[in-house]
Amino acid sequence: MINLFKKSTISSEENINSVVLIYSQILELPISKEGLRKAIDEHPDYPSMLAVYDVFAKFGANVYAAQIDGDKLKEIKQPFIAQIESPNTFYEIFTVVKNLDDKKVCYYDPEKTLWIETETTSFLEIYKGVGLVVNGETVTPEADYENKRRSEKNNAIRAWASILSFPLLFIVIVLFYWIFQGAINYWFTLYSLLSFAGAIICCLLIWFEIDSHSPLLMRVCSGKRSNCNAILNSEASKVFGVSWSAIGFTFFTSQLLTFVFSSFDMDISWSMGWLGLLGTPYIVFSIYYQWRVARQWCPLCLSIQAVLALQAIIFIVAGGLATNPITALAANDIIIIVSIFLLVFLLAYWGVPTLRTAKEAGHFKNNFQRLKHNGEVFNSLLMRQKGFSGDIEGLGITLGKPDSQNKIIKVCSPYCDPCAKAHPSIDEILRLNPDVQVQIVFTSRNSERDYKAVPVKHFMAIASRNDEELTRSALHYWYTSPSKNYTEFASKYPVSDTDLQEQGKKLDEMWLWCNHAGILYTPTFFFNGQQLPDIYDIDDLKYMLT
């Protein structure tokens, strides 16, 4: 019988994110992973096909989304994104189809994170009739794309180095004592390896507590009667307010650290074995609870029980029952062991809530961004903002479409750091939106005592040539230059002294308008005659204009 209430092994958010990222990589689009993730996460209709459409369109791609009959799929450009019914859970999910012909189809299974090759007829049985195609040739490279990609690669290398550093260090230490000192008992070498495996599994359990929608963990925990969530969120999952995952992490990690810091001292190793033996009743409790009470199984929990059972067997076979764990330990050994266990416990006790809070904060931030980018919310807040007085026609520098209904006014200063940081966003809005006008007004006075007047006059002289490409290039060069060196700027974009002198009146007009408009700080942004609400910045307008 079909289980109509079977949960998907991947959340809709993870599904959209993974499909968009994979599709972007196949097309080799010049968009960083972080830029793509941020754009999709903050879309007001996330997660949906509309969000996918808008995000690719935002980066300048020609996007085509429509209801497409199954017999017409082979006629559209490949690869493409399609909506299918999950063959595992019967939920509707998105996938990437790499290639499709009359006989075979290769598509991505986001639940198994595998590429599946099957017969086209089988695929069409789960295809839901919705497809999306992106023409990657029209995509505009993301601002600072090369540096962002380089940073992502470096971060990935550092992450893997951090993950692999401890096991590699442990192996090196084991080999050192084994080869050069012959001091390691074979049984306890195996015992310590099991401690390492237990620590890794407990890390996965803690990860599940923090992010239960992780695709990797959901695959591990999926099955006919498998439900890690039911066990890890049950009443029996904690003792005195501390989760068994944190206790397990403390136990196995502290064992491992004790072995290493004691140079695999045999007396201390036997004591760790006795401590593990005392934990064997938990095996019976956990299995009974999953079997008879919850009637669900947690594969990760069962793995921990297996590790504990194997450690107990090794301890007994190695002759551990014949040892005395109390008389064998010196006072300083006991202090070191207790200190290690206490420090690791505090790390787990305080670290897990901190990571969970950080995860929730990111979730709430994304929800807030999606709310901000909702057109109705934005327009409602915008209408409550103050407008400006005075005629602004012809003031400053005007870029973009002359008769556009979408008008952005940026009031800024040439030496203002926030103004400089906002300028790449202005460039991006102009590059990606053909129906937008940007008017830049400067707050500089026409006075020799105002050091800001000289570069502003230079900007205005360049703009007076009516060469928008040159003007945008000059402004980009100035605002992205760390030094803001006027001499260098003037040599790259020369103008005559006469042209500079003719700009004085324009500075007077801009200064007068800024006073009438009540400009208090730079940059100040106006959109369609209203000042941008405080919770919005110029980056947010990119979403309003798509």
Side-chain angles (χ1 to χ4, degrees), residues 32-311:
S32 66
K33 293 181 181 178
E34 179 60 24
L36 201 58
R37 184 204 61 78
K38 186 174 185 294
I40 191 73
D41 282 356
E42 295 180 358
H43 192 281
D45 293 302
Y46 170 82
S48 67
M49 185 69 90
L50 175 60
V52 177
Y53 183 99
D54 285 346
V55 164
F56 283 119
K58 169 183 175 291
F59 288 104
N62 290 328
V63 189
Y64 310 92
Q67 293 277 350
I68 305 173
D69 293 336
D71 57 353
K72 298 291 182 62
L73 280 180
K74 61 179 178 293
E75 299 176 9
I76 69 174
K77 184 179 179 180
Q78 300 171 15
F80 59 89
I81 294 176
Q83 190 174 38
I84 62 172
E85 181 182 82
S86 167
N88 308 308
T89 61
F90 309 105
Y91 271 64
E92 291 185 1
I93 58 176
F94 293 105
T95 183
V96 178
V97 178
K98 187 183 293 185
N99 49 65
L100 178 148
D101 56 31
D102 291 327
K103 296 181 179 180
K104 295 287 184 179
V105 60
C106 180
Y107 72 97
Y108 179 74
D109 186 332
E111 294 178 320
K112 296 180 179 179
T113 64
L114 296 171
W115 287 98
I116 305 295
E117 187 169 311
T118 186
E119 294 181 356
T120 301
T121 52
S122 299
F123 176 79
L124 293 180
E125 290 176 1
I126 60 174
Y127 172 61
K128 303 302 293 184
V130 178
L132 180 144
V133 183
V134 170
N135 179 5
E137 297 175 359
T138 62
V139 170
T140 303
E142 181 185 8
D144 205 23
Y145 168 70
E146 293 298 333
N147 288 333
K148 289 180 180 178
R149 283 293 296 132
R150 192 179 302 111
S151 176
E152 288 178 345
K153 290 179 181 178
N154 291 338
N155 289 339
I157 292 172
R158 284 192 289 268
W160 278 108
S162 300
I163 292 171
L164 297 175
S165 60
F166 188 78
L168 289 175
L169 177 62
F170 175 73
I171 292 171
V172 168
I173 292 173
V174 169
L175 291 175
F176 175 81
Y177 284 106
W178 196 349
I179 295 173
F180 295 100
Q181 297 188 17
I184 292 186
N185 180 289
Y186 291 98
W187 288 111
F188 273 98
T189 300
L190 182 57
Y191 191 99
S192 61
L193 290 174
L194 287 171
S195 296
F196 178 73
I200 295 298
I201 297 170
C202 286
C203 286
L204 294 177
L205 285 166
I206 291 173
W207 181 9
F208 192 93
E209 290 182 8
I210 296 170
D211 183 13
S212 60
H213 293 296
S214 167
L216 171 63
L217 297 178
M218 293 185 80
R219 286 199 307 277
V220 172
C221 292
S222 62
K224 187 176 181 180
R225 292 188 60 190
S226 299
N227 190 343
C228 292
N229 199 49
I231 305 302
L232 297 178
N233 288 316
S234 67
E235 295 180 356
S237 65
K238 294 183 179 181
V239 55
F240 301 115
V242 182
S243 71
W244 283 111
S245 303
I247 294 173
F249 174 79
T250 300
F251 174 73
F252 289 114
T253 304
S254 298
Q255 270 193 338
L256 205 56
L257 292 174
T258 300
F259 290 143
V260 172
F261 286 120
S262 68
S263 303
F264 293 90
D265 179 86
M266 287 306 301
D267 290 333
I268 293 178
S269 297
W270 288 122
S271 299
M272 289 297 99
W274 274 105
L275 192 60
L277 195 63
L278 293 176
T280 52
Y282 175 70
I283 300 174
V284 179
F285 163 75
S286 179
I287 292 177
Y288 176 81
Y289 184 85
Q290 295 177 67
W291 175 39
R292 303 301 299 172
V293 180
R295 299 185 183 275
Q296 300 275 357
W297 296 102
C298 170
L300 293 174
C301 303
L302 292 175
S303 300
I304 290 296
Q305 315 320 321
V307 170
L308 287 171
L310 288 172
Q311 284 188 325

Side-chain angles (χ1 to χ4, degrees), residues 311-325:
Q311 284 188 325
I313 292 171
I314 290 173
F315 176 73
I316 294 171
V317 171
L321 295 178
T323 64
N324 189 327

